[in-house]
Amino acid sequence: MEALLVEGSLPANLRGRFLQSVPHPAHGADPVSITGVRLSDGTAAWHRARTDHSLLGTVPSLAPAVRDGLRIARPVQDPRTGEWHTIATRPGSPLAEHVTMSASGSVRRGRCFVLSGPTRIDTVALTPDHVVVFDVSVVHDRAAELIGLRTPFAWRSSKQARIGLLPRRSRGNPLWFPVSPCFVPDAVNAFEDGQEVVVDALRQTSPTGPRELTRWTLDLGTGEADEVFLTYADSAIARADEHGRGHHETYGTVGTTVFRYGDAAYSFGADHRLGQPALADEWLVIPVRHGASSDLAVFDATDLAAGPRSVVRLPVTVPVATRTAWQPLAYPIR
């Protein structure tokens, strides 16, 4: 593997692969490829993931949004069992399928349920007892598809958005909670707190509106959802550090700034573009683009204001990715 230039000092205990799904025009109908950087023992090198034609591919958390005519929500992994969970939909149909896969991505089981329409579902969240489903106000638009629009979906403000809790241990249907009209591009986390389920996610309340980090508290007793705005964030937000459990920190980017929700931020300055951060234990890894230069910045997650501890210089220009993942070297990657 090609060694990469590092400015500063990479943490010796940062051992894994930072991977990102980026556009690749040579790939036709599924124009993405996975590229990455291997960090180990204070050094950095290129990593190229092998191609796979299974449902999830070689890197489950970076599964393609569309495969074999199905739209696949970004999968989430159960930290206890290693299984992956996603929601698959077919454009134009109100039917959805909860798909459960092994740690390697092979399908183990699936079950269907009905949405309120041909909803676009981009993300899913998980608790020990529930799969969290986002039945939102963006739907498949047949007319847009017929005229060849790249994204055949339309905003329907009149469509009631709702969040569903699909039971994991029974064959029941989702318990639905009405929420304000919105689109949810990415979930951060969900966890159970007694008779309540707390869901943190990015949402948009209009087609061109800003993305808001939002917390919904779903009351299983009353069937009502409490909705609280937390902060603004771009589409690039790190998954929580305690997925499926009450998390401690949430990290994201807005404009040229990386932040930890509540108390810390660092700005890269003008003309920088930031991709989705990935949390690697006590380190935060962020793809950065400045003009024609592409870098990988490594922060101490507990001290963002101090700036990057190290920067890996990439020899080629890489598009800023909003779908990234960190996988420790101990994790079996083919």
Side-chain angles (χ1 to χ4, degrees):
M1 289 184 289
E2 179 184 351
L4 302 177
L5 175 65
V6 177
E7 295 184 1
S9 176
L10 281 171
N13 65 342
L14 186 60
R15 301 183 71 253
R17 298 177 178 96
F18 175 84
L19 302 170
Q20 57 184 354
S21 176
V22 296
H24 195 302
H27 287 191
D30 186 18
V32 297
S33 64
I34 294 173
T35 63
V37 176
R38 174 183 170 132
L39 305 177
S40 177
D41 303 320
T43 65
W46 278 116
H47 169 78
R48 292 177 176 83
R50 292 165 54 186
T51 303
D52 191 301
H53 297 289
S54 65
L55 181 64
L56 295 186
T58 56
V59 187
S61 60
L62 297 181
V66 179
R67 165 104 9 125
D68 298 331
L70 293 175
R71 186 165 192 90
I72 302 168
R74 183 175 182 179
V76 63
Q77 190 173 36
D78 186 328
R80 301 169 306 163
T81 66
E83 288 185 325
W84 292 90
H85 296 257
T86 188
I87 301 296
T89 55
R90 191 174 296 278
S93 172
L95 290 179
E97 184 175 11
H98 167 221
V99 182
T100 304
M101 292 146 290
S102 68
S104 64
S106 60
V107 175
R108 286 184 169 172
R109 54 191 175 274
R111 57 170 168 158
C112 292
F113 59 95
V114 180
L115 301 168
S116 60
T119 303
R120 172 171 172 163
I121 299 179
D122 279 23
T123 190
V124 64
L126 203 63
T127 75
D129 294 327
H130 303 96
V131 178
V132 182
V133 182
F134 300 95
D135 189 359
V136 294
S137 304
V138 174
V139 299
H140 180 262
D141 189 315
R142 178 62 175 166
E145 181 181 54
L146 288 174
I147 63 175
L149 293 186
R150 182 177 179 182
T151 305
F153 294 93
W155 180 274
R156 295 287 185 265
S157 58
S158 60
K159 181 181 181 296
Q160 175 69 65
R162 55 186 189 166
I163 299 175
L165 298 180
L166 182 68
R168 293 179 58 180
R169 294 180 173 84
S170 69
R171 303 294 295 181
N173 291 317
L175 176 62
W176 294 106
F177 296 80
V179 298
S180 301
C182 66
F183 173 62
V184 179
D186 202 4
V188 177
N189 193 18
F191 59 92
E192 298 167 8
D193 184 11
Q195 287 298 300
E196 296 178 334
V197 174
V198 180
V199 181
D200 287 356
L202 287 180
R203 71 165 181 176
Q204 286 180 272
T205 57
S206 69
T208 58
R211 301 194 178 203
E212 306 170 351
L213 182 60
T214 303
R215 170 165 290 183
W216 289 279
T217 301
L218 313 178
D219 191 317
L220 296 171
T222 65
E224 297 181 349
D226 179 62
E227 196 170 87
V228 177
F229 165 81
L230 299 180
T231 189
Y232 291 107
D234 288 340
S235 58
I237 193 160
R239 295 276 174 128
D241 57 344
E242 294 288 337
H243 197 85
R245 298 179 289 270
H247 54 286
H248 303 129
E249 306 290 355
T250 297
Y251 301 86
T253 64
V254 57
T256 62
T257 299
V258 57
F259 68 87
R260 183 173 71 241
Y261 173 68
D263 65 351
Y266 174 84
S267 178
F268 282 85
D271 301 325
H272 285 74
R273 296 183 61 198
L274 310 182
Q276 183 180 46
L279 195 62
D281 296 321
E282 70 267 36
W283 308 105
L284 193 69
V285 185
I286 307 173
V288 181
R289 182 167 174 180
H290 183 207
S293 301
S294 293
D295 304 321
L296 204 61
V298 178
F299 285 79
D300 181 338
T302 65
D303 191 12
L304 295 184
R309 169 167 172 163
S310 52
V311 176
V312 179
R313 302 296 185 185
L314 306 185
V316 297
T317 302
V318 179
V320 171
T322 57
R323 297 188 79 174
T324 66
W326 172 260
Q327 294 188 334
L329 287 182
Y331 192 89
I333 303 176
R334 294 173 287 168

